[in-house]
Structures are given as structure tokens and as C-alpha cells.
Amino acid sequence: MKRLRLALFILIPLALAVLGFSAIARGGADAAKKKAESDALANRTKVERGNVRVTVVETGSLEAKRTVEVKSQVGGRVAKLLVDAGDRVEKGQLIAIIDPQETRLQVEQNQAQLRGAQSQVKQLEVQIQQRRVTAQTNLAKARLRVQQLDAERKAQPKLTNTNIRSAETALANAQKQREVLVKVTQPNARTQAETAQNDARNNLRIAETEFQRQTGLFQKGYVSRREVESAELNKQLAESRLRQASEALQRIDNELRLEREQADERVKQAQADLDRARANSVQDTTSEKQYQLAVQDVRDAEISLRDVEGLIQQRAGSVANVDQIRSVLGDSQRKLNETEVRAPMSGIVTRRFVQEGEIVNAVGAFSAGTTIVSVDDRSVMLVKLQINEIDVARLRLGLEAEINVDALPSEKFAGTVTKIAPAQVVSATGGATADSVVKYDVEVELNEVVDELKAGMSAKCTMTPLRRDNVVRIPKAFLGEDKQGGYVVVYDPKAPKPKPAMPGQAPKDDEIKTRVVVGVQNASHVEIISGLKEGTEIQKPKFTGPDRKGMMQFGPGDGEEEEAKPTDEESGE
């Protein structure tokens, strides 16, 4: 009994220990199995439909599309300054006044010089007028006669040629009308009348034959008298139609003869008109002789004016002096008006550069002038960006953009790319060993401007130059590439697991690769144009990059690319 208890005391704990170790071993195996299944599921996915979009995001500063520095065309002391920074001005509004005293004195001096020069011109005009009245009158008459005769001389040949061509055309038309009448119209009319006469004669012959036949049948008693009378009536009608057709033919012959006579008369009349137009060409020679005589009269009148040419030239010099002084006066008056500096456009005064009483320089050929105020037109605002060469190649004019202004986080603005610099504008260096980064200026114009927006505010612009919606796509980590191009590995649960490579040997490439044509790619997904269908289950391809050494050795499975988490817009959610 004691031995049995001792055996039970030893065997029961031993059995419990064996059962415990077995449970622990089964639990470890189950955990390893679950982990392997989890890893296998993580390396597999299904081909799906979704959106693949490439975005370009860059931050810049808001600026007004038009900024004008207001300067004065006249130098001097600022007498009044009527605006300050922050004021809104309208186009043409008075901004400042430059002291006009000096400019006004210059205007008065130029006016006095102009009056003196004009008086000298009038004196010369009186002297010239007395000696040139007669010669000038004769010259004017001679020139007027030359103009009249020249017009007649130039018009006469054209008029003669026009009359001749008109008469020739009329003759040709009359001859053509007679020819059409004789060869076409009349023969057709007579042929129709003859045809009608022949038809009537044939109808009469048929009616006479029918009458004779009916009469013979009546004598034999085969037909009634009524039928004989009907045949006789038809014969009489045919005789009447024949007489009418013969009379119509005779009448047409008379009409055709009359028409031919009228056509001949029209041809004769057109020929007479042509002969008369050709005879009138003798007037061309007469007009030319009269014109040459009038030209000689003009030369004689011009010779009589040579004695006053000296005074005329002197007056011309005085007139030029008047014009010069008038030009100087106009410039002085312009400068007097320019002492009132007005806004060149509507906008906001962003900065005032001078104070009342300061001296400003005028804008000139050798001076940029002094800026009085700066005005921004904020009805149109834009964001100026500097975008690297890779992203700028994706952009295009007219591309829509979403704009977020840091100062207004709750609002979003829409914009459009309106300018892409054609040449490099920035070459930034990221560090002592970093390569230079080439950037280009890009401008995004806001579609709508609110009062809260101000120049200089930071704004982030998001542009989507490439987008593919509702396309077949896969995660980027599942796309493999080799010398032949892109491929994927379709998951086959029945395929045998690959055997591990022998020590010192490269692993065998035993994957079954499915070639695909890819489209747009972003950080997380790749568009599949052909080669895969939606719903196909695929697995990650083997890592085919170079062996990593030292710090780059992380352990088993480290060659698998971590899938980037897509944004809402990229994933289409």
C-alpha cells in the first residue's frame, strides 16, 4: 500500500510535467504558424481599382499681380502728401503736389517768347502778300486748269475705250441673239408647228378611214347609224384641227420673218454705235494738247513767284522758330500739370517713401526718380513659387491648384498656374556634399481674392498634374523590375515553396513573372495599363538589390520594401 502511494506520488507530478511541456510546445508551434501566416498575408494583396494621382506641393508668398511705384515727372519740394500707407486710392486720384512755382515761371517765359515769334511771322506775311497776290492768283488759276485738263486727259481715253467696248459688246450680243433666233428659237417653233400640222393630218386620215369603214358596215347592217354619225363627227373635228394647225404654221412663219427683220435692224444699229464710238477717239489727241499748254502756263506763273521766294524762306524760318517755342511751352505746361501726382491705377498704398517738405528727383533719361508711394492692385493676387526641375516638368499652364494660406487656416482658395519660367532662376545647395538643386519660378494666380489676403503671406499650393481615376492599380512594393521591364508575381497557393540556396551559391530566380505595362506612379501605387485584371492576387517579388553589409544588415525579410502610406487623394478615398 505504501509502495502504491509512493508510486502515485512520483508518477502524477511527472505526468503533469509532461503534459505541461507538451502544451507549451504546441503553443509555440501555433504561434510560429500564425506568425508565418500573418507574414504571408502581408506579402500578398489583390489587384484593385482606385485613383493614382501625382501631386506637386510647394510653399510661396502672396503678391499682388500689379505693383506700381509712383514717381514724379517734375523734381522739387513736396508741397502736399495726401495719402498714407494702407489708404485705398482710385485711378486718377490726387496723391501728392510738387511745389509749382518754378515751373509756372518757366511757362510764363515761354509764353512771352511765343508771342514775339508769332508777331515776327505776321510782319513777314504782310510783306510777302503785296508782291505775290497777282502771281499767286495766276499760278492758282493755271494749276486749277492743269488739274481739270489732267483729269479730262486721263478720263478721255478710258471713256473712249469704255464706249468702244460697250458698243462692241452690244454688237456681239445683237449678233448672238440673231444667231440664236435663226438657228435655235425659230427652227424649234416652226418644227413644233409642223409637227402639230402633221399630227392633225394623220388624225384626219385615220378619221376618214374609220368613217369609210363604219359606212360600209352600216350598209351591210352590222352597225347602227349612230356609230356612222359619230365617225363622221370625228372626221369633221380632225378636218377642223388640220385647218387650225395649218393656219398656226402660216402665222408662225409671218412672226419668224418679222423677228428676223427686227434682229437684223438691231445688229445694224449696234454696228453704227460702234463706228461712232471709234470715231470719237480723235478727242484724246485734242485733250493732250490742251493739257500741255496749261502745264506751260503753270511754269510761267511759278517763274513770276521767284522774286518773293527769299521772303517766303525767311517766313518759314520764323514759323519753325514759333513751332519750337510752342513745343517748349507745351513741355512746360505738361510739367506744370505733372506737379499734381495722381494714382496710375486703383489699389492700396503699401508704403510711403517721402514726407511733406522733402525734395524729390524727377524721372529722366539719367535718373530713375524718387519713389513717392508704392501702390498694389490687389484685385488680382498670385503666389510665387520656386519648384525644382523634376516637379516643374510635370506642370503646365492652366493647371488648377489648391491654395492654403497660413494666416487663414480655415479657408481654401482655388488658383491657376499662369506662368512657368522658361529658364533656371535658382541654384540652391543643400550642403557641403549635396548636389545643387535647380529651381524655376512658377506663378499661381488666385481665382478669387478676399480682403483678408495681404501681400507677403505664406501660402501652400497643391497641384495635381497627373491623375488617373478608377484604374487598375497595385501597391508600389508589389511591382518588380528587371532588364526586361516591369513585372508582378501572381500568387499560386499550389506552387511548391522555393528551396533555399546552397551555401556559397546565389538564390535561384524561380518566380513566375507576369509582365505588365505600367502607367502613372506615385509614392504608394502604380497604375497597371495591361497585364493584370482586377481581383488577381499577387505577392511581393523577391528583393533583387545589392547585398548590404555592415550597418545595412538588418536580418531576414529586410529586403522587402515598406509600402508608403497613400494620401486621401492618391488612394481615392
Side-chain angles (χ1 to χ4, degrees):
M1 193 65 179
K2 290 180 180 181
R3 290 180 179 178
L4 180 58
R5 290 179 180 178
L6 180 59
L8 291 175
F9 182 76
I10 295 173
L11 292 175
I12 290 175
L14 182 60
L16 292 176
V18 172
L19 291 175
F21 283 121
S22 299
I24 292 173
R26 284 195 303 272
D30 293 341
K33 183 179 179 180
K34 289 180 179 180
K35 184 178 183 304
E37 292 177 354
S38 177
D39 292 341
L41 290 175
N43 290 330
R44 298 200 305 267
T45 188
K46 287 187 177 181
V47 180
E48 61 178 1
R49 281 192 174 273
N51 303 335
V52 181
R53 301 180 181 180
V54 178
T55 59
V56 177
V57 182
E58 191 59 64
T59 300
S61 59
L62 280 172
E63 293 185 13
K65 187 173 183 179
R66 293 179 60 198
T67 299
V68 176
E69 291 184 349
V70 181
K71 301 179 181 180
S72 175
Q73 296 286 342
V74 181
R77 182 179 59 86
V78 179
K80 291 184 179 180
L81 191 57
L82 306 176
V83 297
D84 201 350
D87 292 346
R88 178 167 187 84
V89 295
E90 299 297 330
K91 183 177 181 180
Q93 179 179 336
L94 185 62
I95 291 178
I97 298 176
I98 308 300
D99 189 355
Q101 182 177 358
E102 182 179 352
T103 308
R104 188 178 292 113
L105 290 174
Q106 185 66 38
V107 170
E108 293 174 356
Q109 291 176 3
N110 293 335
Q111 288 174 341
Q113 293 176 359
L114 178 62
R115 288 192 295 269
Q118 289 173 338
S119 177
Q120 185 178 1
V121 171
K122 289 180 180 179
Q123 291 176 3
L124 290 172
E125 287 177 350
V126 172
Q127 295 177 13
I128 294 170
Q129 186 175 6
Q130 296 176 352
R131 283 184 285 181
R132 73 175 182 179
V133 170
T134 302
Q136 192 173 21
T137 301
N138 294 335
L139 180 59
K141 290 180 179 179
R143 287 175 175 172
L144 180 60
R145 179 165 176 75
V146 167
Q147 292 176 357
Q148 293 174 349
L149 293 176
D150 187 38
E152 293 177 2
R153 178 177 67 92
K154 293 179 179 178
Q156 185 60 43
K158 295 180 180 179
L159 180 61
T160 301
N161 293 333
T162 301
N163 292 336
I164 292 175
R165 288 195 297 270
S166 178
E168 290 174 346
T169 302
L171 176 60
N173 290 336
Q175 292 173 343
K176 186 175 182 180
Q177 290 175 358
R178 182 185 181 283
E179 183 179 0
V180 171
L181 180 67
V182 172
K183 294 183 179 180
V184 180
T185 306
Q186 290 186 350
N188 290 340
R190 198 174 192 287
T191 299
Q192 292 178 358
E194 290 177 348
T195 301
Q197 185 184 39
N198 293 332
D199 291 343
R201 187 178 289 111
N202 293 331
N203 291 336
L204 176 61
R205 188 181 302 110
I206 294 172
E208 289 177 345
T209 301
E210 179 64 18
F211 174 71
Q212 293 174 0
R213 190 177 71 84
Q214 292 294 336
T215 302
L217 294 175
F218 173 74
Q219 292 175 354
K220 293 180 181 181
Y222 293 148
V223 297
S224 63
R225 179 177 293 279
R226 183 174 180 180
E227 292 178 347
V228 174
E229 293 175 349
S230 176
E232 184 178 7
L233 179 60
N234 290 336
K235 183 176 74 100
Q236 293 174 356
L237 291 175
E239 292 174 348
S240 176
R241 292 191 182 97
L242 179 60
R243 286 193 300 272
Q244 292 177 357
S246 300
E247 292 173 355
L249 179 60
Q250 183 63 34
R251 186 168 56 254
I252 287 174
D253 288 338
N254 295 334
E255 292 176 354
L256 296 180
R257 184 176 63 258
L258 180 60
E259 289 178 353
R260 283 196 300 271
E261 293 175 355
Q262 292 176 350
D264 293 339
E265 185 63 28
R266 286 193 294 269
V267 171
K268 292 178 181 179
Q269 183 64 37
Q271 183 65 48
D273 293 340
L274 177 59
D275 295 339
R276 187 165 47 255
R278 289 173 176 171
N280 290 335
S281 61
V282 70
Q283 295 181 359
D284 298 347
T285 305
T286 303
S287 299
E288 181 65 27
K289 291 181 179 179
Q290 292 178 349
Y291 171 75
Q292 295 298 333
L293 292 175
V295 170
Q296 185 60 40
D297 292 339
V298 170
R299 293 194 186 101
D300 295 342
E302 290 175 345
I303 292 173
S304 65
L305 280 174
R306 289 178 182 176
D307 59 342
V308 295
E309 287 182 356
L311 292 176
I312 293 175
Q313 294 298 326
Q314 186 177 353
R315 177 188 174 278
S318 299
V319 170
N321 188 36
V322 169
D323 293 339
Q324 182 179 3
I325 297 174
R326 183 180 288 113
S327 176
V328 174
L329 175 61
D331 187 63
S332 299
Q333 290 174 336
R334 179 189 62 81
K335 290 181 178 179
L336 182 60
N337 294 331
E338 293 291 347
T339 56
E340 293 184 351
V341 182
R342 299 184 179 274
M345 67 178 185
S346 300
I348 303 295
V349 177
T350 56
R351 187 177 177 185
R352 188 174 72 174
F353 293 89
V354 298
Q355 302 294 331
E356 288 186 3
E358 291 187 22
I359 302 298
V360 296
N361 296 323
V363 177
F366 302 101
S367 174
T370 304
T371 303
I372 300 175
V373 295
S374 177
V375 179
D376 283 358
D377 178 11
R378 294 186 180 173
S379 60
V380 180
M381 299 194 72
L382 51 85
V383 183
K384 284 194 173 182
L385 307 171
Q386 292 182 352
I387 298 180
N388 64 68
E389 57 184 327
I390 296 177
D391 289 337
V392 81
R394 301 172 177 171
L395 302 182
R396 63 183 182 277
L397 295 179
L399 182 65
E400 296 180 355
E402 180 182 295
I403 302 170
N404 296 305
V405 180
D406 293 348
L408 304 173
S410 61
E411 297 189 27
K412 291 185 179 181
F413 300 90
T416 305
V417 176
T418 57
K419 178 182 178 182
I420 301 175
Q424 169 187 347
V425 294
V426 177
S427 182
T429 302
T433 60
D435 295 333
S436 61
V437 178
V438 178
K439 293 190 176 183
Y440 294 80
D441 275 346
V442 175
E443 293 183 1
V444 178
E445 187 173 308
L446 276 71
N447 297 342
E448 183 180 0
V449 179
V450 298
D451 295 338
E452 291 81 1
L453 294 177
K454 300 183 183 300
M457 288 184 173
S458 297
K460 183 178 73 171
C461 296
T462 303
M463 295 152 283
T464 308
L466 294 175
R467 60 176 65 198
R468 296 292 186 270
D469 295 337
N470 194 27
V471 297
V472 177
R473 68 176 190 178
I474 63 173
K476 194 169 185 178
F478 286 78
L479 176 67
E481 291 185 3
D482 55 16
K483 295 181 180 180
Q484 298 179 10
Y487 67 90
V488 296
V489 179
V490 178
Y491 173 69
D492 185 3
K494 298 180 180 180
K497 293 184 179 181
K499 297 180 180 180
M502 298 297 293
Q505 296 180 356
K508 296 181 180 180
D509 187 6
D510 52 4
E511 293 179 327
I512 300 177
K513 300 177 180 179
T514 300
R515 296 294 168 181
V516 294
V517 179
V518 301
V520 175
Q521 303 183 36
N522 58 24
S524 60
H525 286 86
V526 179
E527 176 193 7
I528 301 299
I529 297 178
S530 63
L532 275 182
K533 294 183 178 180
E534 182 182 359
T536 303
E537 191 171 5
I538 59 177
Q539 65 186 24
K540 286 185 179 180
K542 293 181 180 179
F543 178 72
T544 57
D547 294 336
R548 291 174 289 185
K549 301 178 181 179
M551 294 295 295
M552 297 183 64
Q553 295 178 341
F554 298 112
D558 59 337
E560 297 177 355
E561 181 182 353
E562 183 178 354
E563 181 180 352
K565 184 177 181 181
T567 62
D568 292 341
E569 184 177 9
E570 292 173 342
S571 63
E573 296 178 355

